Each structure stands twice: as structure tokens, then as C-alpha cells.
Amino acid sequence: MSTLTTPAVRTRAARPAYRVTGLRVLRSEWTKLWSLRSTWITLGLGLVFLVAFGLISAARYQSSVGSGQPLDEDFANATALSLSLFGTNFAQLALGVLGVLVTAGEYSTGMIRSTLTGVLRRLPVLWSKSAVYGAVALLVGVAGVAGVFAAFVVGSGIVSATPAAMTPSHDGVVRSLLGAGPYLGLIGVLGVALGALLRSVAGGTSVLVAALMLIPGLISLLPASWQDTIGPYLPSNAGQSMFALTHDATSLSPTAGLLVFLGWTVLLLGGAAYRLARSDA
């Protein structure tokens, strides 16, 4: 008599169903951003530049005035506010270049292929990178605003006995100091858009530096009527009007400057989105 045995049936555990959602894409981009040592270093440098250079410029101005020698052209019309915001020019480069690295860095290493394999709908990757780094840059800008306030208070004490003396009660000072935060946040998004559009760290950094520093200087070579027409709408000039103390016929108001700078940012993001959707990685 034989005994029939039933072979054991192995049951495979059901795999959990994973779906790509906007929140998960955001979380992945957040993880990638903070996994890089360069993120911490560059953001830290941005804060240091923002505060330290403001104090250094105030001390330099005070020593120049105390020496009795003619002031440099950069210091001729300086105020305690402009001196405290002097580091913005350097902080914007740190945040903008890091924004370029956030997107263009993945193209240089080839990691973008893995990213787009996991997220088949490409555009959420760009929106998530822009949102994550833009929020981080804005937070750094807000922290920088607190530092700039401190730099303004200390710098005001340094230049208190000079023509640059100014207090927070002066008209427009608080508004100007607060305007630096949104400007730095948008600079970060601008860098992300340039990196995604050009897909080159060197190319994106070069265009960023040219747009913020070189082109405004070249515009001065044009006829005066052209300068007054084109100059206010350049990204750098429009952005700086967000935290400028005074405005004239050749500059935009803070609100108009914000809108123009937003327009440049949206335009570059639109170009980056078009290239991402239409061309291979």
C-alpha cells in the first residue's frame, strides 16, 4: 500500500504595491539634496558671505572716512543699509551655483537616467527639484535676513558718526532688509532652471554669473536711452530692486521688480520643462 504525499506548495509573499506620487518624489529629492556634503558647505558659505561681508564693508567704510582720504566710487553714496546688504552679491552666487548643481550635477554623473527610470513622468522631477531647493534657499534667505538685521545693527554702530549713519526707523529700511530673503530664494530656483535647461554645470554657472554680474556692466556701453529701457528689466536689476532703498525713473518698484524676476524664473523653468519633456536624458 502506497501513501500519496502532496508536494508542499510554496507561496510567494505578495510584493507591496508602490506608486510614484508627488509627495514621494519630493521626499526623494529632499534626501538627495541633503545627502551631498556640498549642500551643507555651500549653504553655510552663503550665510557667512551674507553677514560677514556686510560687517567688513561697514568697517572698511568707517576706516576710509576716518582717514580723510577721498572715498572709493563704491562707497561714495553708501548707507548703513547698502553696506549691510553688500554680502548679498556673494550669497546669491553661492545659492545660485548650488541650484545649478542640483540639476546639472545629475546629468554630469548620469544619475538622471536612474531618476527618470523611477519617475516616468519627467516633469514632476523638475517641479520637485525646484520646490525643494527653492524652499531651502528661501529658508537660508530668511535666516540670512536675521543675520543681515544683526549686521545692520552692528554696522550702524560702526558708521554712526559718518554720512552713512542710518537707523531701522528710517523709511524703507525694514522693507529692504526683508526683501533680500525672497530674492535669494528665487535665485536658487533660477539656478535649478538653468541647470536643467543647459544640463551642464559649467554652462549653467557661466550663464548665471553673466546674467547677475557681467551683462549689467555691458549694458552701460549702450546709449543712455537704451540703458533706461532695457536695464531695469534685466534679472539682476529687477531682483535688486526688491531690496533697494530708493527708486527712480530708471529702476522698478519693489513689487514690479518681484514680478519681473518671477517672470524670468518662470520663463527659464518653462524652457527647462520643454527640453526635459522633448529630449532624451
Side-chain angles (χ1 to χ4, degrees), residues 250-275:
T250 62
S251 62
L252 300 176
S253 67
T255 302
L258 172 61
L259 293 176
V260 171
F261 199 73
L262 275 173
W264 280 107
T265 306
V266 171
L267 179 65
L268 288 175
L269 279 175
Y274 180 83
R275 187 176 184 188

Side-chain angles (χ1 to χ4, degrees), residues 10-96:
R10 294 183 179 180
T11 58
R12 182 176 298 177
R15 293 182 179 179
Y18 292 106
R19 290 193 313 114
V20 178
T21 63
L23 180 59
R24 285 173 175 166
V25 177
L26 283 171
R27 290 175 60 185
S28 68
E29 294 301 331
W30 177 268
T31 302
K32 284 192 289 185
L33 177 64
W34 294 110
S35 63
L36 299 175
R37 187 179 301 174
S38 59
T39 300
W40 298 91
I41 295 174
T42 307
L43 293 178
L45 286 175
L47 283 174
V48 171
F49 290 158
L50 194 60
V51 178
F53 279 99
L55 296 176
I56 292 172
S57 62
R60 170 76 184 281
Y61 176 86
Q62 195 278 335
S63 64
S64 298
V65 172
S67 66
Q69 298 177 355
L71 293 175
D72 295 339
E73 184 179 352
D74 295 336
F75 288 147
N77 298 315
T79 63
L81 176 65
S82 64
L83 293 172
S84 64
L85 290 172
F86 187 77
T88 307
N89 295 325
F90 302 92
Q92 68 180 1
L93 288 181
L95 295 176

Side-chain angles (χ1 to χ4, degrees), residues 137-211:
L138 179 59
L139 289 176
V140 172
V142 171
V145 166
V148 167
F149 266 100
F152 176 78
V153 172
V154 176
S156 296
I158 295 175
V159 300
S160 59
T162 68
M166 184 176 286
T167 64
S169 61
H170 277 75
D171 186 31
V173 168
V174 175
R175 188 264 307 156
S176 297
L177 292 173
L178 292 176
Y183 172 70
L184 293 176
L186 287 174
I187 283 288
V189 179
L190 198 71
V192 171
L194 280 174
L197 179 62
L198 300 177
R199 301 183 177 182
S200 167
V201 175
T205 302
S206 299
V207 172
L208 180 72
V209 173

Side-chain angles (χ1 to χ4, degrees), residues 239-257:
Q240 289 177 6
S241 67
M242 294 168 57
F243 55 88
L245 180 63
T246 59
H247 302 83
D248 53 28
T250 62
S251 62
L252 300 176
S253 67
T255 302

